[in-house]
Amino acid sequence: MASAVFGPATFCAVTGGSRGLGRSIAVLLAGRLGQGSRLVLTADGRSLQGLQETKRQVEEKSPNQLEVKLVTGDMEDSAAYHEHFCDIFANAQQGAFKNAFIIHNAATLGDGTKKASEHSDPQILTKYYAANLTSAIALTSNFMKVFPSAAVRRIVVNITSDSAIHPLPNHSLYCSGKAARNMFFKVMAEEDPDVRVLSYSPGPLDTDMLQAVRTCGNKGVEDLLTSMESSGMILTPDHSAEHLLKLLEEDKFQSGDFVDIFNMDYST
């Protein structure tokens, strides 16, 4: 059954939709998006098979009522953005949708073997921030151009992390990229009060990314994750995705808020 917030006639784009939290969000949305809705799932070109599996699961849950579109692209290459964004928003006319969502979920960790002071290659840094910061900013700008009117209910979700606030050793690129995105979207919420903006921290999730963090070679990080695991704080992507959609459906958050799954009253 479509929810009042998500359907009918909702446009929704989810970046990083080939696995993990992105896949869980997409599959859970399938049961909420109503007739005339379109779900666009994006990932890099190496993840097409994963996107296709997400699409299969979405269509299995929501047969014949939801248009699902897959878009791949290299977000490290800013020269490719124009074509990529055109694919995402192709034929997404303003009058066709009553709601428009974009969920910025895609993220990479960067080189987890280096301390902050060891990141010396500007080309690597440029590519990292292009994929994890610049692309989200530019995609949001295109989203606003496609849906410029408050007649369409617009929601922008930034999937963030506790690491945007608390430093995680060996992950200075990841922490700084998330922190920058948080502030960008806080400013957007101030400037565009007709747009609902949420930065959602999904908690530590049982994903390939968490395993990569665990094996970074920093004993403090490894011990922290072991402690969180023994305390039951490692969550499944489905659990956190369900929590996010509940937040959006209840629609009680202040636009621009940082909301952590473990502390619902926290905002910065």
Side-chain angles (χ1 to χ4, degrees), residues 157-238:
V157 178
N158 169 41
I159 300 299
T160 185
S161 170
D162 180 72
S163 299
I165 298 170
H166 302 291
L168 184 66
N170 287 48
H171 294 88
S172 56
L173 300 189
Y174 181 76
C175 294
S176 59
K178 290 294 190 183
R181 274 173 48 160
N182 281 8
M183 183 51 70
F184 173 83
F185 286 109
K186 280 188 74 69
V187 173
M188 180 182 174
E190 290 289 325
E191 295 173 339
D192 292 293
D194 291 331
V195 181
R196 300 286 284 146
V197 181
L198 173 67
S199 287
Y200 172 68
S201 178
L205 303 181
D206 186 11
T207 62
D208 293 341
M209 180 177 281
L210 187 71
Q211 294 311 309
V213 172
R214 186 190 296 274
T215 58
C216 72
N218 184 289
K219 188 176 186 305
V221 172
E222 294 172 8
D223 290 347
L224 173 64
L225 292 179
T226 298
S227 174
M228 295 179 80
E229 190 170 42
S230 64
S231 300
M233 295 180 68
I234 306 299
L235 309 176
T236 67
D238 283 352

Side-chain angles (χ1 to χ4, degrees), residues 17 57 63 67 85 100 111 115 121 128 131 187 197 223 236 245:
Q57 293 185 29
E67 176 189 355
F85 298 160
D111 187 346
K115 297 191 301 181
D121 188 329
Y128 180 83
V187 173
V197 181
D223 290 347
T236 67
L245 297 191

Side-chain angles (χ1 to χ4, degrees), residues 64-85:
N64 303 319
Q65 74 170 26
L66 182 60
E67 176 189 355
V68 183
K69 181 177 182 179
L70 307 182
V71 178
T72 60
D74 180 8
M75 292 297 94
E76 291 185 349
D77 179 12
S78 59
Y81 288 2
H82 176 73
E83 181 179 355
H84 184 70
F85 298 160

